Amino acid sequence: MSFSIGNLAIADDRQTMRDDVHYRARAFGPDARQLTFLIVNISPHGLMARCDTPFETGDRLRVVLPGAGTVVAEVRWWLGGRLGCQFDPAIDLASYYELIATMVKGK
């Protein structure tokens, strides 16, 4: 599957589907400053969020997630206020199901 953002075509070769959410999370940038962070979709392996702070590929963020605690997320891309991150390590499934249940309740 592929899709376009602006003039960029991006190949979407993820094996795991993501769950759509709308969840404001506490997150901290590489400099430990707190970020305004809105998670748009998530899976046990990563997330996409809205954040006005620009990042570079490879930057490492800390994101506080219900049921999973503080996770390290490596920025894979950032474009115009949206970013995609991969968790390091992935969230275990038991914690992920608890996380999703909490996020959906908070909608």
Side-chain angles (χ1 to χ4, degrees), residues 2-3 7 11 16 21 23 28 30 41 46-47 51 57 59 73 75 81 83-84 86 94 100-101 103:
S2 65
F3 59 96
N7 291 331
T16 306
V21 296
Y23 186 82
F28 302 88
N41 66 46
L47 61 78
C51 183
T57 300
D59 282 348
V75 175
L83 69 150
Q86 180 177 341
I100 286 297
M103 287 182 166

Side-chain angles (χ1 to χ4, degrees), residues 29-30 54-61 72-76 85-86:
F55 295 103
E56 298 292 325
T57 300
D59 282 348
R60 295 172 73 78
L61 313 177
V72 175
E74 182 179 321
V75 175
R76 306 301 281 180
C85 295
Q86 180 177 341

Side-chain angles (χ1 to χ4, degrees), residues 12-85:
D12 186 3
D13 58 358
R14 292 179 297 207
Q15 298 297 324
T16 306
M17 295 304 296
R18 295 196 175 194
D19 293 297
D20 291 331
V21 296
H22 187 270
Y23 186 82
R24 293 194 186 284
R26 285 186 23 192
F28 302 88
D31 58 1
R33 290 187 191 182
Q34 189 163 343
L35 306 168
T36 302
F37 207 76
L38 176 65
I39 299 173
V40 176
N41 66 46
I42 193 165
S43 79
H45 301 281
L47 61 78
M48 184 175 82
R50 292 184 181 155
C51 183
D52 291 334
T53 304
F55 295 103
E56 298 292 325
T57 300
D59 282 348
R60 295 172 73 78
L61 313 177
R62 289 179 302 120
V63 184
V64 181
L65 298 173
T70 302
V71 298
V72 175
E74 182 179 321
V75 175
R76 306 301 281 180
W77 58 268
W78 183 89
L79 182 63
R82 289 183 182 245
L83 69 150
C85 295

